[in-house]
Amino acid sequence: MSRVLLGLVAAVTVVATGAAACAAPPAAALGSAPAVRPVVLAELPHDPTAFTQGLELSPDDPGTLYEGTGLAGRSELRELDAATGAVRRAVPLPGNRFGEGITVVGPSIWQLTWQDGVALEWDRATFTLRRTVPVDGEGWGLCARPGRLVRSDGTERLRFHDPVTFAETGSVVVTLDGAPVPELNELECVDGAVWANVWRTDRIVRIDPATGVVTAVVDASGLLDPARRADTDVLNGIAHLGGDEYLLTGKLWPAAFHVRVPG
């Protein structure tokens, strides 16, 4: 499903200390999973026209972010300066393909397409297309764990793929208190867990990929004030910055937020 993320530009604007830098009141639990509110550390500009579908910090260069954008005929793979958000380079997706989630695997970047039935493997050094491979079903979010990729397809199911061939190797249904959690969107793999935006909400869930059980819920509502939230879309986009710090943004949002997620 189409979604927007970072087209970051300009310098980081640090949020003032005091109430603005503190977390909102504790979030109400969603079922039995612990619920937390992110603590805002800084705000960065975000291109409100960028239809970003995936965001990931380079695993070997903390000064580099990779971004995948969407919309048929306008989709791109981009490299950003992590400090300023400036676009260093960008390459369009071939044809009229609708780009989706991305993830880095060694010298490659894998990029999903929404309903085109293929995934794209890019050479990370040159941003040239290595190959396209067939994929059954829709592509939404993508992240990499040791030895496998994790894909969301807009349902309650996470699907696992071989990181070399992209062959599907299994799947798991995501549940909270035994009930399925549908519309899983952008993904980020962090320390054995999978974090997922839940489409059309301000929630992010942390998932145990071995069982599919939701182990925590992040309530990110209120990150963007009501005046700036007008004419934007839902929260979407997670980039792990290290430790308990993340970059969060949303579709058509004019800002991205450097946050700490307690617990």
Side-chain angles (χ1 to χ4, degrees), residues 57-250:
L57 191 69
S58 168
D60 47 29
D61 177 7
T64 297
L65 284 165
Y66 296 109
E67 174 188 36
T69 71
L71 295 177
R74 293 172 50 188
S75 300
E76 291 184 333
L77 175 67
R78 297 194 283 172
E79 179 184 284
L80 309 178
D81 185 296
T84 67
V87 179
R88 294 173 176 165
R89 53 180 174 163
V91 60
L93 270 63
N96 211 38
R97 292 188 171 110
F98 196 124
E100 286 288 347
I102 63 167
T103 198
V104 176
V105 181
S108 298
I109 298 175
W110 281 105
Q111 184 170 24
L112 296 174
T113 58
W114 178 27
Q115 295 178 323
D116 295 294
V118 296
L120 312 176
E121 184 186 15
W122 299 92
D123 182 278
R124 184 154 64 111
T126 64
F127 264 35
T128 55
L129 184 63
R130 287 180 168 174
R131 57 178 168 155
T132 63
V133 298
V135 177
D136 289 333
E138 295 186 1
W140 287 41
L142 189 67
C143 67
R145 301 186 67 231
R148 66 178 176 179
L149 305 180
V150 185
R151 171 174 64 103
S152 61
D153 60 6
T155 71
E156 68 278 7
R157 191 173 292 275
L158 292 178
R159 299 183 182 276
F160 307 126
H161 293 261
D162 183 280
V164 176
T165 66
F166 215 85
E168 189 168 335
T169 59
S171 67
V172 66
V173 172
V174 176
T175 61
L176 177 59
D177 292 339
V181 181
E183 298 190 327
L184 300 171
N185 201 344
E186 151 81 340
L187 303 180
E188 187 79 351
C189 292
V190 182
D191 297 332
V194 176
W195 296 81
N197 281 114
V198 181
W199 187 47
R200 297 191 289 192
T201 78
D202 287 324
R203 293 195 303 272
I204 297 168
V205 292
R206 185 182 67 199
I207 305 159
D208 179 345
T211 64
V213 172
V214 170
T215 58
V217 177
V218 177
D219 178 358
S221 60
L223 282 179
L224 203 60
D225 61 83
R228 291 189 296 167
R229 191 69 191 261
D231 299 321
T232 67
D233 209 315
V234 297
L235 178 81
N236 191 65
I238 314 164
H240 183 227
L241 302 179
D244 58 0
E245 296 183 14
Y246 297 81
L247 194 64
L248 305 180
T249 191

Side-chain angles (χ1 to χ4, degrees), residues 13-58:
T13 301
V14 178
V15 178
T17 57
C22 296
L30 180 65
S32 62
V36 297
R37 294 293 298 253
V39 179
V40 177
L41 304 176
E43 180 178 327
L44 296 88
H46 169 243
D47 178 1
T49 69
F51 229 88
T52 310
Q53 310 289 58
L55 187 74
E56 188 169 315
L57 191 69
S58 168

